[in-house]
């Protein structure tokens, strides 16, 4: 086992070699935390602990994948359960769904789906929202769930009008979810915490199975996550948590800093290991971060140090306005790239709120520099992707009314809002899910014959898709796109946005194929939907792509870049205006800036603007109080004069060239080369094609059945199969492509 501890510091080695009993690893930024956690897992396996007895919980899918890959390299062919809290809880609920009032094929609602269900619950509860919004209620319900307060237990504070509304809506919302066989993100944690609390035999069984529990980023756990980790560590108190109170930045999501600050009270015999050596940043960057965070009171003392170079001074720049801030930063990036000193991917721009990205997008486009916006519209949040996945959700869980409402008239089938409302009323009065009410639409007297016919056509479509919903996900998705016509509506569009939607749909087919290649479970559709539901805000970030990264400070957690620009460090933005009168929130804002500073490896620039246009107003800014807490005597200070001749000029963002479009890469299979109409008349088929040359929607020719369109695909290599709809009386047939005479038909220009 010597290879597992070679090159480790004494503190790192102590954490890796600890086996039994609780362990608290206080890991400063850039201190090799991931290396310690993965080597610790490998060490447990090497000394003979079974992989199924080790449970490692992270907070992002990217972190989980990185850790899984590292463990595999250290101890090949030895697996442990390693993933996010939410994914672990989602898996447990599949097994124990009936204990919390669900079925194993339950749907996981994202924020948008939850909002739709909440609005329906508000309507059912006949609540007047004159002074509040559905978002106010959603936030209050989420807060209650994070505090392990159920709908039955919720009691508002006296004189709290919002709380009084929550008391009425929260039970109606939970009933809406129960009827739809659905859970929101908070429910995944709440249900599992309740399951472990109310079922001692289940808790004991899981504690017996997972004898060694490791939790990463423990400072960001909420009460529900704390309760789950605690319940799994009673009989076997081998709970090892890793975190840094100075990097706790998710209080607004319910994270409880006291979980890590008071860990030693929960486990008096805990071993505490401090990882204080920083391997990431220069001495000057680390010193600036340490000076800043020392102003916080709620923290655990660490003496951060590094043996890295001194590095250039941290720059503090005041620009005249936000245009020149963006232009100046973009010009500096361009100069470094053109001189060959840096690549685009070496740079990151961090801001407190997403709305600040616009000026930097424009400036980078004008310089012709490729970039990616992280935590913009994520891939699985795009309308075309959510529409398509809603069909899959309905096939997997016919009780999912939110999915049905989304797809029943998508693409348009002439089923209007009034028709849907009448079906909803019928469903409510008869205690039916919407899909069953739609099946009985002929009984709804207020519906016209035309409306009944349109709804019946949708029900027929649903039944046809249900009949093919047991196969590989790529195949199911192909059937959905073909039968509904959803993809076809974009195939001949010239509009750039529609072309991008088509590219995203084709990428979803690629995602489904990749899922099928690595998934061999009995319920692939259910697993696929779970995986797509539990994506994180940084999952679309591509580290190897040569583009400048634009992201919020929250999204930057866990990442690192050679050069970081931390912008708009101004009162009201950083710290955010909401934290002005709350000491605990002000400390969290300071921790957020600390996180941003410590992402920088070699160079750091912090900037503000003298004037800023924000939320429709132009205002003179006030420097952030955090700037006065930095070691300004060691920094390079610069105040720039304005160079814009017309500071009120607002240039529109031009259409982005392909190189700088801030979108996820697109996949799909390239179409065959074009041919002439004469060749088409003579058959126009290509030579023998690889199975991988076939794509969904492609026109193909069969020597016996004639022309047909690819409806769905599944499998890989020599086993790849295609389902074809032929124009002839042959109808629909399925082929193993490599063994068939199918040939792609070249497209006519």
């Amino acid at each position: 086992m010597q290879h597992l501890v070679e090159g480790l510091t004494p503190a790192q080695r102590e954490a890796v070699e600890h086996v039994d009993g609780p362990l608290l690893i206080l890991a400063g930024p850039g201190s090799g935390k991931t290396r310690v956690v993965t080597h610790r897992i490998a060490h447990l396996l090497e000394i003979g602990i079974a992989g199924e007895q080790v449970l490692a919980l992270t907070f992002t899918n990217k972190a989980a994948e990185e850790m899984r890959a590292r463990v595999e390299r250290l101890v090949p062919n030895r697996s442990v359960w390693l993933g996010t809290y939410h994914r672990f809880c989602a898996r447990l609920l599949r097994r124990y769904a009936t204990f919390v009032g669900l079925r194993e094929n339950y749907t996981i609602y994202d924020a948008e789906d939850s909002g739709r269900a909440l609005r329906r619950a508000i309507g059912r509860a006949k609540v007047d929202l004159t002074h509040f919004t559905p978002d106010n209620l959603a936030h209050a319900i989420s807060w209650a769930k994070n505090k392990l307060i159920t709908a039955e237990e919720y009691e508002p504070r006296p004189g709290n009008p919002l709380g009084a509304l929550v008391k009425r809506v929260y039970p109606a919302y939970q009933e809406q979810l129960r009827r739809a066989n659905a859970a929101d993100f908070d429910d995944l944690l709440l249900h599992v915490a309740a399951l472990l609390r109310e079922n001692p035999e289940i808790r004991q069984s899981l504690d017996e199975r997972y004898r060694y529990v490791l939790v990463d980023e423990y400072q960001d756990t909420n009460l529900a996550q704390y309760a789950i980790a605690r319940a799994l560590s009673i009989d076997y108190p081998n709970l090892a948590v890793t975190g840094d109170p100075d990097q706790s930045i998710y209080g607004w999501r319910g994270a409880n800093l006291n979980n890590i600050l008071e860990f030693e009270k929960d486990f008096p015999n805990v071993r505490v290991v401090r990882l204080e050596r920083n391997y990431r940043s220069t001495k000057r960057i680390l010193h600036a971060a340490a000076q800043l965070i020392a102003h916080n009171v709620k923290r655990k003392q660490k003496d951060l140090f590094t043996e890295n170079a001194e590095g250039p001074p941290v720059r503090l720049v005041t620009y005249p306005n936000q245009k020149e801030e963006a232009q100046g930063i973009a010009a500096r990036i361009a100069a470094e790239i053109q001189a060959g000193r840096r690549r685009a991917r070496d740079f990151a721009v961090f801001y407190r709120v997403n709305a600040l990205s616009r000026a930097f997008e424009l400036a980078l486009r004008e310089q012709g520099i490729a970039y990616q916006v992280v935590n913009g519209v994520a891939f699985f949040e795009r309308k075309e992707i959510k529409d398509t996945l809603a069909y899959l959700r309905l096939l997997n869980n016919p009780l999912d009314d939110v999915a049905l409402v989304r797809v029943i008239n998508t693409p348009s089938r002439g089923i209007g809002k009034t028709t849907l409302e009448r079906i909803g009323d019928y469903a409510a009065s008869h205690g039916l899910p919407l899909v069953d009410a739609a099946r009985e639409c002929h009984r709804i007297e207020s519906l016209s014959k035309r409306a009944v016919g349109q709804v019946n056509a949708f029900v027929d479509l649903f039944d046809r898709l249900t009949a093919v919903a047991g196969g590989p996900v790529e195949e199911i998705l192909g059937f959905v796109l073909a039968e509904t016509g959803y993809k076809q509506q974009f195939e001949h569009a010239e509009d750039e946005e529609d072309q991008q939607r088509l590219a995203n749909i084709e990428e979803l087919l690629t995602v489904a194929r990749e899922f099928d290649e690595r998934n061999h479970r009995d319920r692939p559709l259910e697993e696929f939907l779970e995986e797509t539901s539990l994506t994180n805000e940084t999952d679309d970030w591509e580290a190897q792509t040569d583009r400048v990264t634009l992201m919020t400070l929250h999204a930057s957690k866990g990442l690192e870049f050679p050069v970081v620009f931390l912008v708009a460090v101004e009162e009201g933005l950083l710290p955010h205006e909401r934290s002005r009168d709350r000491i605990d929130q002000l400390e969290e804002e300071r921790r957020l800036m600390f996180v941003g500073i410590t992402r920088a490896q070699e160079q750091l620039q912090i900037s503000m603007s003298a004037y800023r246009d924000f939320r429709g107003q132009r205002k003179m800014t006030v420097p952030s109080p955090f700037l006065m807490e930095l070691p300004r005597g060691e920094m390079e200070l610069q105040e720039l004069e304005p160079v814009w001749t017309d500071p009120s000029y607002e240039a529109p963002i031009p259409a982005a060239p392909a190189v700088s479009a801030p979108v996820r890469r697109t996949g799909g299979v390239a179409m065959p080369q074009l041919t002439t109409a004469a060749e088409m008349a003579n058959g126009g088929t290509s030579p023998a094609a690889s199975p991988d040359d076939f794509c969904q929607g492609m026109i193909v020719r069969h020597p016996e059945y004639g022309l047909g369109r690819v409806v769905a695909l599944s499998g890989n290599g020599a086993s790849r199969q295609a389902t074809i709809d032929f124009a002839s009386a042959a109808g629909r047939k399925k082929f193993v492509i490599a063994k068939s005479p199918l040939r792609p038909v070249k497209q006519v220009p």
Side-chain angles (χ1 to χ4, degrees):
M1 293 184 289
Q2 185 62 27
H3 70 288
L4 295 178
V5 294
E6 284 180 356
L8 298 182
T9 66
Q12 290 176 329
R13 181 165 183 164
E14 181 182 1
V16 166
E17 294 183 331
H18 178 83
V19 178
D20 294 318
L23 173 67
L24 171 61
I25 304 172
L26 293 172
S31 60
K33 177 195 67 174
T34 302
R35 185 184 188 194
V36 169
V37 173
T38 52
H39 280 241
R40 174 170 159 73
I41 294 172
H43 180 264
L44 292 174
L45 297 176
E46 285 283 76
I47 64 174
I49 293 170
E52 59 267 21
Q53 293 182 331
V54 180
L55 170 65
L57 299 173
T58 69
F59 273 77
T60 68
N61 294 314
K62 278 189 177 296
E65 290 303 319
E66 180 184 356
M67 287 186 180
R68 185 177 294 108
R70 291 197 190 191
V71 172
E72 173 63 25
R73 288 195 295 270
L74 291 170
V75 280
N77 304 316
R78 302 284 299 278
S79 63
V80 301
W81 205 102
L82 203 163
T84 65
Y85 250 109
H86 285 85
R87 184 154 292 175
F88 172 68
C89 291
R91 294 288 173 88
L92 278 186
L93 286 183
R94 298 288 176 205
R95 181 176 178 184
Y96 299 107
T98 57
F99 286 82
V100 297
L102 295 172
R103 305 179 187 182
E104 62 181 7
N105 66 329
Y106 71 89
T107 299
I108 301 172
Y109 279 176
D110 64 12
E112 182 181 342
D113 298 325
S114 299
R116 290 173 183 256
L118 180 60
R119 286 190 289 274
R120 293 190 69 190
I122 291 170
R124 299 293 182 203
K126 295 181 171 54
V127 167
D128 179 12
L129 291 186
T130 304
H131 302 292
F132 299 100
T133 67
D135 284 346
N136 296 143
L137 289 173
H139 184 269
I141 292 172
S142 177
W143 178 90
K145 290 183 177 183
N146 286 330
K147 297 295 184 182
L148 297 180
I149 301 172
T150 65
E152 295 74 23
E153 297 167 338
Y154 184 87
E155 287 295 337
R157 295 191 306 272
N160 182 352
L162 176 60
L165 292 179
V166 171
K167 184 171 177 59
R168 295 172 58 191
V169 173
Y170 189 1
Y173 172 62
Q174 289 305 108
E175 176 62 16
Q176 192 74 36
L177 293 177
R178 186 195 64 77
R179 291 170 60 89
N181 188 31
D184 63 24
F185 285 162
D186 295 321
D187 280 334
L188 296 178
L189 303 176
L190 178 65
H191 285 328
V192 169
L195 175 76
L196 296 173
R197 181 180 67 248
E198 298 169 4
N199 299 273
E201 68 288 349
I202 294 177
R203 189 214 62 75
Q204 186 176 8
S205 172
L206 292 171
D207 196 341
E208 170 79 22
R209 176 178 177 180
Y210 300 115
R211 298 189 181 190
Y212 295 87
V213 179
L214 300 88
V215 180
D216 192 21
E217 304 288 3
Y218 193 67
Q219 76 280 350
D220 290 327
T221 53
N222 60 28
L223 182 59
Q225 290 160 332
Y226 164 84
I228 292 166
R230 193 75 176 86
L232 295 177
S233 308
I234 294 175
D235 304 324
Y236 296 88
N238 305 316
L239 175 61
V241 302
T242 308
D244 181 7
D246 291 338
Q247 297 184 70
S248 179
I249 59 174
Y250 292 109
W252 52 280
R253 286 183 182 174
N256 187 349
L257 181 60
N258 289 329
N259 289 351
I260 192 167
L261 292 178
E262 299 180 1
F263 189 79
E264 290 145 290
K265 292 182 181 179
D266 291 333
F267 297 93
N269 61 332
V270 62
R271 177 177 292 185
V272 180
V273 177
R274 285 176 166 80
L275 305 182
E276 298 172 315
R277 178 180 174 182
N278 179 286
Y279 294 88
R280 176 187 299 150
S281 305
T282 64
K283 286 184 171 66
R284 282 176 162 158
I285 292 172
L286 190 63
H287 185 229
Q291 288 280 94
L292 174 72
I293 202 62
H295 288 80
N296 271 10
V297 175
K298 295 189 70 173
R299 61 189 300 259
K300 283 184 176 290
Q301 181 60 36
K302 293 189 306 299
D303 297 319
L304 300 179
F305 70 94
T306 183
E307 296 181 8
N308 292 341
E310 191 78 16
V314 174
R315 300 181 76 229
L316 176 56
V317 183
T318 301
Y319 293 92
N321 53 58
Q322 83 271 11
K323 291 189 184 72
E324 297 199 34
E325 181 180 42
Q327 290 281 358
I329 289 172
R332 186 175 173 199
I333 292 173
E336 291 289 296
I337 294 173
Q338 290 165 9
R341 291 187 290 268
R342 299 280 186 191
R343 300 183 63 174
R345 71 185 184 196
D346 293 337
F347 299 92
V349 179
F350 298 157
Y351 33 77
R352 177 62 176 85
V353 294
N354 270 312
L356 294 174
S357 72
R358 181 178 178 278
F360 297 95
E361 293 183 60
L362 172 59
L364 290 169
R365 287 177 179 182
E366 289 178 344
Q367 293 282 354
I369 299 172
Y371 66 93
Q372 59 180 327
V373 180
V374 179
N375 202 23
V377 180
F379 179 73
F380 289 108
E381 293 175 1
R382 297 181 185 276
K383 180 182 183 301
E384 60 274 13
I385 301 303
K386 288 180 70 71
D387 287 345
T388 308
L389 290 177
Y391 277 103
L392 301 186
R393 283 171 39 196
L394 189 62
L395 292 175
N396 181 64
N397 175 19
L399 300 179
D400 187 350
D401 288 351
V402 171
L404 183 138
V405 169
R406 187 173 191 110
V407 304
I408 194 170
N409 198 43
T410 306
S412 178
R413 300 182 179 90
I415 301 175
K417 182 179 179 181
T418 300
T419 298
L420 193 54
E421 286 176 349
R422 290 171 179 171
I423 294 173
D425 291 339
Y426 182 87
S429 63
H430 290 75
L432 297 173
L434 285 178
V435 70
D436 288 346
R439 203 176 292 281
E440 297 182 14
C441 65
H442 59 282
R443 300 180 185 275
I444 305 175
E445 296 180 357
S446 57
L447 290 183
S448 66
K449 288 185 177 179
R450 179 173 176 273
V452 169
Q454 291 161 335
V455 174
N456 280 335
F458 172 78
V459 172
D460 289 343
L461 167 66
F462 172 75
D463 289 342
R464 291 199 305 275
L465 292 174
T466 299
V468 297
V473 176
E474 183 191 12
E475 183 176 77
I476 300 170
L477 184 57
F479 282 123
V480 166
L481 294 172
E483 293 286 352
T484 63
Y486 191 87
K487 179 177 176 235
Q488 193 172 357
Q489 65 183 324
F490 303 121
E491 287 180 344
H492 303 293
E494 297 182 0
D495 180 80
E496 184 177 341
E497 288 188 6
D498 283 345
Q499 286 296 312
Q500 185 58 54
R501 291 189 182 99
L502 177 62
N504 287 334
I505 292 169
E506 290 172 344
E507 172 68 0
L508 185 61
L509 284 162
T510 301
V511 171
R513 181 178 180 180
E514 292 172 350
F515 173 86
D516 287 335
E517 288 175 354
R518 57 183 167 79
N519 188 284
H520 305 288
R521 297 179 181 269
D522 295 334
R523 307 169 70 90
L525 181 56
E526 191 175 284
E527 294 283 340
F528 178 74
L529 291 171
E530 178 183 300
E531 187 170 296
T532 57
S533 296
L534 299 176
T535 56
N536 300 113
E537 58 193 3
T538 58
D539 284 351
D540 278 343
W541 178 64
E542 298 178 8
Q544 301 307 314
T545 301
D546 197 18
R547 296 184 285 180
V548 174
T549 295
L550 307 179
M551 59 169 46
T552 65
L553 283 162
H554 283 99
S556 73
K557 182 79 175 298
L559 306 179
E560 60 185 23
F561 300 89
V563 184
V564 165
F565 295 93
L566 179 50
V567 304
V569 185
E570 301 152 11
E571 178 69 56
L573 286 173
L574 185 64
H576 196 279
E577 59 185 358
R578 290 195 302 265
S579 66
R580 184 174 301 161
D581 302 320
R582 293 280 304 274
I583 295 298
D584 58 334
Q585 292 183 7
L586 189 65
E587 289 208 349
E588 179 159 316
E589 292 290 304
R590 188 179 285 110
R591 292 194 293 268
L592 189 58
M593 185 167 174
F594 174 80
V595 166
I597 290 174
T598 55
R599 301 309 95 192
Q601 296 170 293
E602 300 168 17
Q603 296 180 38
L604 170 66
Q605 175 177 302
I606 301 170
S607 64
M608 60 167 290
S609 297
Y611 288 86
R612 185 171 299 279
D613 293 345
F614 190 63
R615 294 180 177 173
Q617 292 182 300
R618 173 167 298 163
K619 291 184 177 181
M620 180 181 290
T621 66
V622 176
S624 168
F626 296 157
L627 296 179
M628 303 307 297
E629 299 171 357
L630 297 172
R632 296 166 65 89
E634 305 170 14
M635 299 168 65
E636 178 185 328
L637 308 181
Q638 188 174 10
E639 186 167 350
L640 300 179
E641 295 295 325
V643 297
W644 285 79
T645 57
D646 182 6
S648 66
Y649 173 68
E650 185 68 65
I653 296 181
V659 67
S660 59
V663 296
R664 180 182 169 138
R665 63 182 176 84
T666 56
V669 183
M671 293 295 289
Q673 296 178 348
L674 302 180
T675 189
T676 64
E679 289 174 316
M680 185 69 175
N682 291 327
T685 54
S686 67
S690 163
D692 287 335
D693 290 340
F694 287 72
C695 64
Q696 205 268 349
M698 176 185 283
I699 304 299
V700 297
R701 178 182 291 277
H702 187 280
E704 180 179 351
Y705 306 128
L707 293 175
R709 178 185 289 269
V710 177
V711 175
L713 295 157
S714 64
N716 298 287
S719 300
R720 191 151 175 78
Q721 301 178 52
T723 300
I724 313 294
D725 269 352
F726 290 101
S728 66
R732 178 171 293 180
K733 293 188 177 295
K734 191 171 185 177
F735 301 87
V736 176
I737 299 174
K739 298 179 180 179
S740 76
L742 289 171
R743 296 292 181 270
V745 172
K746 298 179 181 179
Q747 301 289 297
V748 179

